[in-house]
Amino acid sequence: MSPNWGTDSTQYRDRHEEIVNKSSQDFLLNGLLSQTVPRAPLLKARSIEEARARYQHALVDSVFSMSMIEGISVTLPQVHALIDGVSVGGLEIEDVQAVTDMISAHRLLAHMVQKGTFELNKTVRGRINAAITAHEIIEPGIIRGQGKVGGTVTVTLGDLPAYEPPPTTQGGLELEAMMVKADALIGQIENPVEGAATLFCHDALAQYYSNGNKRTATLMATGWLLTHGYDPLVFPARLRLDYNEALRALFGFQDNVPISNFIYHSIQSLS
């Protein structure tokens, strides 16, 4: 039976009062990384080469699922055509560019893993975010506050108050320091699958960039998984509503349990 990720679950209600009063800053620097994510199920680790080959094989499904999760109504054949460099009809130009950027970001990640250059750091994150938002934001790949554009972002949550990530100042040194500390702590997590869940939660909440943060977090988590021989993180398109409910718990109440269990289920479904 799949885990219950919804905010109406008993598991969620039991944790709600404990977590709801934490500020985003304390949660990012202390609560998330000292309050561990749920234990991950035992998953089979392979060689890095085999994991990367399985990632390449799953490229179409991964891009399709990411597109659907982001609300882009695209079909598998259309994604396949765009991967092959073939023009497709029936899509808005903005959607074609968004999917094409996702393809570029996936290929960039695969290249990094193949060359052994994937690491948890500012440079790798910036390159992935730059690829995935190339046609979307003014300063792709630039940490909030480190470019010429302002560093304020919010995450709307429907009937809940909007989530406001940690603020930044000109120069973005606070966010960069947060990233360095988080990466060091994530690197110390013994189970790479739990490390990937922690990485996704932290990066999504930190909102390092002006857009594309969840997509960047997904690919960073995938890179971490691949370099340890695990299957990529591909959120099933058919479970978009469950994904959104889990994110609602993460952003609305800083509760990492629903999204972590959703992440484990997503990885396990490919194994």
Side-chain angles (χ1 to χ4, degrees):
M1 180 181 295
S2 299
N4 186 345
W5 302 289
T7 54
D8 60 344
S9 68
T10 301
Q11 180 185 48
Y12 175 81
R13 290 197 303 270
D14 289 345
R15 292 177 54 81
H16 174 98
E17 293 300 329
E18 173 190 349
I19 295 172
V20 68
N21 292 322
K22 292 185 179 179
S23 70
S24 60
Q25 187 88 358
D26 289 339
F27 181 77
L28 287 166
L29 292 177
N30 302 307
L32 176 61
L33 297 176
S34 62
Q35 167 205 322
T36 59
V37 297
R39 295 291 294 272
L42 293 177
L43 300 178
K44 179 182 178 181
R46 302 174 172 82
S47 68
I48 296 177
E49 291 75 16
E50 186 177 358
R52 187 176 61 82
R54 288 171 63 84
Y55 177 57
Q56 293 280 32
H57 182 72
L59 177 62
V60 175
D61 285 337
S62 183
V63 174
F64 169 73
S65 294
M66 182 176 285
S67 300
M68 294 294 288
I69 288 288
E70 288 294 315
I72 300 174
S73 296
V74 66
T75 66
L76 272 170
Q78 286 172 328
V79 171
H80 206 296
L82 290 172
I83 288 175
D84 290 340
V86 178
S87 299
V88 298
L91 290 175
E92 298 290 336
I93 183 63
E94 293 84 1
D95 290 342
V96 171
Q97 289 175 335
V99 175
T100 301
D101 289 346
M102 291 180 205
I103 294 169
S104 297
H106 277 74
R107 285 175 168 162
L108 172 62
L109 176 61
H111 178 76
M112 289 179 177
V113 173
Q114 179 183 14
K115 296 298 183 181
T117 59
F118 177 86
E119 296 179 354
L120 300 185
N121 60 36
K122 173 185 174 181
T123 299
V124 170
R125 265 190 196 80
R127 291 184 65 191
I128 290 175
N129 182 264
I132 215 162
T133 62
H135 295 91
E136 188 174 327
I137 58 179
I138 297 175
E139 295 180 322
I142 303 298
I143 291 177
R144 289 188 290 119
Q146 295 191 348
K148 297 179 180 179
V149 179
T152 301
V153 298
T154 58
V155 179
T156 57
L157 299 171
D159 59 328
L160 291 177
Y163 170 73
E164 297 185 3
T168 188
T169 58
Q170 188 63 33
L173 297 180
E174 304 93 337
L175 285 181
E176 187 170 345
M178 183 184 298
M179 182 187 293
V180 171
K181 180 177 180 179
D183 286 346
L185 290 170
I186 290 167
Q188 295 173 17
I189 297 175
E190 184 176 359
N191 186 330
V193 178
E194 293 170 11
T198 305
L199 171 59
F200 178 90
C201 292
H202 181 274
D203 282 21
L205 286 166
Q207 295 283 301
Y208 290 121
Y209 308 101
S210 60
N211 212 344
N213 288 286
K214 294 189 298 295
R215 283 166 284 164
T216 302
T218 300
L219 291 184
M220 288 297 296
T222 288
W224 188 246
L225 289 165
L226 295 177
T227 56
H228 289 86
Y230 290 93
D231 282 333
L233 174 55
V234 179
F235 293 118
R238 70 183 185 280
L239 298 179
R240 181 186 176 194
L241 293 179
D242 297 300
Y243 171 79
N244 288 335
E245 273 297 299
L247 286 181
R248 179 183 171 87
L250 180 66
F251 287 116
F253 304 104
Q254 285 71 65
D255 183 356
N256 66 57
V257 172
I259 191 65
S260 295
N261 285 331
F262 190 80
I263 286 169
Y264 301 155
H265 175 77
S266 300
I267 299 168
Q268 199 170 23
S269 66
L270 294 178
S271 299

